[in-house]
Amino acid sequence: ESYDPNIPPGERTFATYELSFESLQTFFNTPTATTTPKTLSTTYSSTSLVYGNMFDVIGKNYVIVYGMNVHIADTENHNVEVYLRRNSGSFMNVQRHPTAWSLIGDISIQGDDGAGMPTSIPFGSFDPVTIVPGVSQGFYVTLTDGKFMGQTQSQISTGQVYESNNDLSITVGVGKDYLFGNKYDAAVFNGEILYFVDEAKLASLEASSASSTSRRPYLENSLLPA
């Protein structure tokens, strides 16, 4: 099924994004404003190593997350799993509840340059995730074979915003043992969120607003006495 920008983000399901790698590659290589990739980074200055992290991405715009970079402390091969909080919502109250999560990616990766450098989760490894303004979307990114993922202890409380731009925010999360195991509070996911802004949705909203404004004089005049 191909990407349809006319489907409002709030009505998209995972079925909407059952795309082949080739179709995604064609879509993202199209030189339009809709497909300009953007990133939001946290840090690669880790203070400890864990299996993985849970954290929230909060929408401030209509965005679609299509990839991530993570922090792997060596250059070996590892298996990484990406989970998404079902039906949107924060990770905060479901840290030990596997049924609240959907596995959207199970990928073999190699630490690109080791500690202090980003390692890419390959393009097309998980279905794009739509996040709308005001919604917190929980992510759980974890290795399956050991504590090789960097995280940073934060002075900011768990659940508070750690990094932000005009489109989205990343919160302070928790470190986790595999799988859905012990937690380590106030831990910052080391890495980047790769996304693009859903310009088609914004254009649709602007057009709808303009149409509503153009009809207002008629509606107001229709209320005047004859």
Side-chain angles (χ1 to χ4, degrees):
E1 185 177 357
S2 61
Y3 172 81
D4 184 353
N6 295 315
I7 301 177
E11 297 178 10
R12 293 177 185 146
T13 65
F14 287 129
T16 308
Y17 294 112
E18 290 178 356
L19 311 174
S20 68
F21 176 82
E22 290 76 17
S23 63
L24 275 169
Q25 191 173 44
T26 298
F27 177 74
F28 283 108
N29 284 342
T30 304
T32 67
T34 307
T35 58
T36 301
K38 306 179 76 172
T39 65
L40 180 60
S41 304
T42 56
T43 179
Y44 289 96
S45 298
S46 64
T47 57
S48 60
L49 299 177
V50 291
Y51 275 93
N53 293 99
M54 286 183 180
F55 58 94
D56 286 338
V57 176
I58 304 173
K60 298 170 69 176
N61 204 341
Y62 291 89
V63 301
I64 301 177
V65 175
Y66 69 89
M68 291 183 187
N69 291 330
V70 295
H71 188 189
I72 304 300
D74 60 22
T75 57
E76 302 300 318
N77 291 316
H78 298 282
N79 194 74
V80 61
E81 296 175 347
V82 180
Y83 292 83
L84 189 73
R85 172 74 156 85
R86 291 179 183 270
N87 302 317
S88 299
S90 173
F91 79 93
M92 289 287 285
N93 297 320
V94 292
Q95 299 169 37
R96 299 292 295 271
H97 298 278
T99 57
W101 298 84
S102 295
L103 177 65
I104 62 171
D106 186 353
I107 315 107
S108 178
I109 62 174
Q110 181 176 6
D112 290 341
D113 294 300
M117 301 298 293
T119 293
S120 175
I121 294 179
F123 182 83
S125 295
F126 60 83
D127 293 336
V129 178
T130 298
I131 306 176
V132 302
V135 169
S136 295
Q137 177 61 67
F139 285 87
Y140 177 25
V141 185
T142 182
L143 299 177
T144 65
D145 56 353
K147 295 183 177 182
F148 301 101
M149 187 174 289
Q151 68 172 13
T152 303
Q153 193 67 30
S154 175
Q155 299 301 313
I156 305 173
S157 301
T158 301
Q160 299 301 304
V161 171
Y162 179 81
E163 196 62 70
S164 187
N165 63 16
N166 290 333
D167 301 320
L168 48 83
S169 301
I170 301 174
T171 68
V172 176
V174 296
K176 295 289 289 182
D177 285 341
Y178 188 81
L179 177 66
F180 294 97
N182 294 330
K183 71 171 182 174
Y184 307 92
D185 285 322
V188 176
F189 161 75
N190 285 187
E192 295 172 280
I193 300 298
L194 312 179
Y195 70 97
F196 65 90
V197 174
D198 191 347
E199 301 287 356
K201 175 62 178 179
L202 295 179
S204 174
L205 291 173
E206 290 175 0
S208 176
S209 176
S211 175
S212 176
T213 301
S214 66
R215 291 172 54 222
R216 188 171 300 146
Y218 169 77
L219 294 173
E220 290 175 349
N221 290 336
S222 69
L223 298 176
L224 296 174

